Amino acid sequence: MQFTKAHDPAHALAICHLEPGDAVLAESGALVTRDAHLEVESTAPRDQGVKGLLKKIGRKMLAEETLVRSLYVAGEAPGEVTFAPRLPGDILIHEMTGGELVIQQSAYLASSREVAIETRWGGFRGLFGQGRVFWIRASGTGQVALNAFGAVEEIDVDGTFIIDTGYIIAFEPSLSFDIKRVGSWFFSVFSDEGPACRFKGKGKLYIQTRNPDEFGTLVGGKLPPRNS
Amino acid sequence: MEHTITHGPSFALGTLELTSRESVTVEAGSLVGMSDGLRVRTRIGGNRGGGFTGVFRFFTALVRKLLGGRTLFVNTCSAREGATGKLLVAPSLAGDIVHLELDGDRGLVVQGGSYLASGEGVAVKTRFGGLKGLFSSEGTFWVRCGGKGDIWISAYGAVHEIEVDGSAEVDTGHVVAFDDSLDFQVRGSSSLKAALLTGEGLTAHFRGRGRVLIQSRNLGGTLHWITPKLYE
């Protein structure tokens, strides 16, 4: 399975080339085209036991998580599937080589079946302000396609780097982080500034050059109120 | 101060490198990220003044916020002695970032929403757009930048420069910045009826000699297009 991209950076499209026996997992709603002979399977996250149920409730409450992803499987013949994100911007194709990558939920587009995808609730520390954060943990070997609102900027963190949470796409788990506010709490009530993540350690951090929440708040705030 | 602008023209990102004791003023919402060790102070409405004017600024910022306009909160970020730091800045909308240098003679008036950041030699003052500005869809307010140093401004779309020698008329929603050597007046459409029917916004009239930087897209125009479609 191989991802390529076209029409980047402003309006990138992910093209997935499947060999016989290959499969690709994708965010529901991301599909643009698929060869008709490919099989489609729906997958819901496997949450088991009480802990799983609580996780499920947590996700529902926050109404952010898409519970269903689709798996596109090539049987005897090779095939091609294409995926597109909702907003304009670039796509990052990341090659996993046995390590792990932590992905902000809304940046996930698609991934090879060989890559294990696990959704984790960001917990309360990620809940302040607009910063509802769900993290997806990807592990294994294979490619992952992530979408950016705007361009993708790669930052080599060595020491400490602070970033507004709305810009994060993904980071290597060799980095640890805590939530911090830039400037004073008092002013941030008025200044629309979201919480920031302070990363520590050594590793790669991928960011997008526009913040989808900030864009939504700016445009949404200028639209007339909903009637119903 | 070293700086680079990457990923332009569609989704530009500004990277500013601070060295020992250097500081930069950044519009609060435009701060994307920064390396650790920088000192950050948040203020309202510019980087000059305090006391009574500070209180006054706080209330004008609050009023503007309540009326749905953008507030100009700024963060002043500075590098400690002997330390270096990196700042990333980006606007909210798709578009480019341009860097200008003020020479100390000519000042620059920047549309509030287009101001991104400025160097320490630059004095930033908010100027109220007046009643017309308050009620226009753009919620126009202006930032007057004087002094000497670097300034970074952002555009919705591309930045296009026009030289005015005489007079010129620009839709206010497209104005990003202009030299303060120009006389400037905001006028409404010829009649209220025309404004309602055509949806055309306010017009900025410039007289004199100087540059006007315009943006190739106008948020008011985008909203005007999208709003009726919300209820179809």
Side-chain angles (χ1 to χ4, degrees):
Chain A
M1 194 226 81
Q2 194 74 30
F3 277 116
T4 55
K5 60 178 177 173
H7 314 296
D8 52 307
H11 298 99
L13 180 75
I15 304 165
C16 178
H17 313 270
L18 298 168
E19 292 300 319
D22 281 354
V24 62
L25 185 72
E27 196 58 76
S28 72
L31 181 76
V32 182
T33 66
R34 77 174 165 93
D35 286 339
H37 66 267
L38 298 175
E39 282 171 49
V40 188
E41 293 167 23
S42 277
T43 60
R46 275 168 246 126
D47 290 327
Q48 280 152 2
V50 178
K51 207 177 157 194
L53 186 71
L54 286 174
K55 271 167 104 179
K56 209 172 240 170
I57 292 166
R59 276 198 286 258
K60 283 252 157 125
M61 261 162 55
L62 290 150
E64 277 284 312
E65 168 72 349
T66 352
L67 288 165
V68 183
R69 295 196 184 101
S70 299
L71 188 72
Y72 303 93
V73 189
E76 310 270 286
E80 197 179 276
V81 207
T82 62
F83 303 108
R86 294 184 179 93
L87 292 170
D90 207 355
I91 289 169
L92 169 70
I93 296 163
H94 182 82
E95 195 83 50
M96 308 270 307
T97 51
E100 287 191 354
L101 187 72
V102 184
I103 303 163
Q104 171 143 31
Q105 190 255 139
S106 59
Y108 175 84
L109 186 68
S111 57
S112 160
R113 178 165 60 182
E114 274 63 55
V115 176
I117 297 292
E118 188 197 349
T119 306
R120 291 193 180 178
W121 186 24
F124 285 106
R125 65 174 175 174
L127 291 175
F128 296 110
Q130 306 126 307
R132 305 165 308 266
V133 191
F134 277 103
W135 302 110
I136 289 174
R137 195 170 274 262
S139 56
T141 306
Q143 287 183 322
V144 181
L146 308 177
N147 56 257
F149 182 30
V152 179
E153 175 82 359
E154 187 182 314
I155 300 170
D156 281 305
V157 180
D158 188 3
T160 310
F161 204 86
I162 299 161
I163 202 101
D164 186 323
T165 50
Y167 290 92
I168 301 167
I169 297 176
F171 58 93
E172 290 177 342
S174 56
L175 293 171
S176 66
F177 75 92
D178 58 357
I179 302 281
K180 178 195 165 53
R181 239 174 218 287
V182 175
S184 79
W185 281 89
F186 175 73
F187 284 119
S188 57
V189 175
F190 301 102
S191 67
D192 298 328
E193 200 166 12
C197 274
R198 181 168 55 187
F199 287 96
K200 277 185 187 153
K202 199 172 165 147
K204 278 197 195 317
L205 167 65
Y206 298 96
I207 65 160
Q208 51 195 352
T209 61
R210 292 295 178 275
N211 180 341
D213 274 351
E214 194 186 309
F215 171 74
T217 310
L218 173 72
V219 173
K222 286 175 188 286
L223 293 173
R226 270 187 202 123
N227 285 330
S228 52
Chain B
M1 193 188 316
E2 297 282 311
H3 82 271
T4 52
I5 295 168
T6 50
H7 309 299
S10 295
F11 295 102
L13 176 76
T15 306
L16 318 181
E17 311 261 359
L18 299 179
T19 53
S20 175
R21 301 186 73 174
E22 264 187 326
S23 80
V24 67
T25 302
V26 184
E27 194 275 321
S30 307
L31 192 56
V32 174
M34 60 185 188
S35 58
D36 200 30
L38 291 174
R39 225 165 54 106
V40 185
R41 286 185 59 192
T42 309
R43 268 181 288 191
I44 314 157
N47 61 1
R48 291 287 186 273
F52 174 74
T53 48
V55 173
F56 176 72
R57 276 198 207 137
F58 177 80
F59 283 106
T60 47
L62 194 63
V63 166
R64 215 184 274 128
K65 174 85 190 169
L66 293 173
L67 290 168
R70 195 168 172 184
T71 49
L72 188 82
F73 280 82
V74 294
N75 286 325
T76 302
C77 308
S78 45
R80 293 193 173 89
E81 185 150 11
T84 56
K86 188 163 107 172
L87 276 172
L88 305 177
V89 294
S92 314
L93 297 171
D96 212 354
I97 295 174
V98 289
H99 166 257
L100 298 170
E101 218 166 319
L102 296 183
D103 58 10
D105 296 330
R106 215 161 39 163
L108 196 74
V109 181
V110 183
Q111 168 127 33
S114 296
Y115 171 84
L116 264 190
S118 56
E120 52 195 315
V122 177
V124 183
K125 275 193 262 176
T126 341
R127 213 170 75 166
F128 201 46
L131 279 182
K132 263 183 191 162
L134 255 178
F135 295 112
S136 75
S137 61
E138 286 94 22
T140 318
F141 72 100
W142 304 93
V143 181
R144 185 178 279 274
C145 300
K148 210 168 168 174
D150 301 300
I151 172 159
W152 291 268
I153 56 184
S154 67
Y156 178 27
V159 178
H160 182 71
E161 187 177 320
I162 54 171
E163 272 304 326
V164 179
D165 188 4
S167 66
E169 201 180 283
V170 184
D171 182 287
T172 47
H174 283 279
V175 178
V176 167
F178 55 92
D179 287 325
D180 69 357
S181 56
L182 289 165
D183 259 349
F184 155 75
Q185 212 184 359
V186 177
R187 290 184 208 154
S189 297
S190 51
S191 74
L192 184 64
K193 195 175 155 198
L196 289 174
L197 287 176
T198 63
E200 263 181 43
L202 303 162
T203 326
H205 290 256
F206 296 99
R207 288 165 75 92
R209 277 180 88 132
R211 294 171 296 179
V212 179
L213 299 180
I214 63 161
Q215 50 188 1
S216 61
R217 292 293 178 275
N218 167 2
L219 182 58
T222 306
L223 293 169
H224 189 256
W225 181 83
I226 209 162
T227 302
K229 303 208 181 305
L230 294 173
Y231 306 104
E232 270 169 16

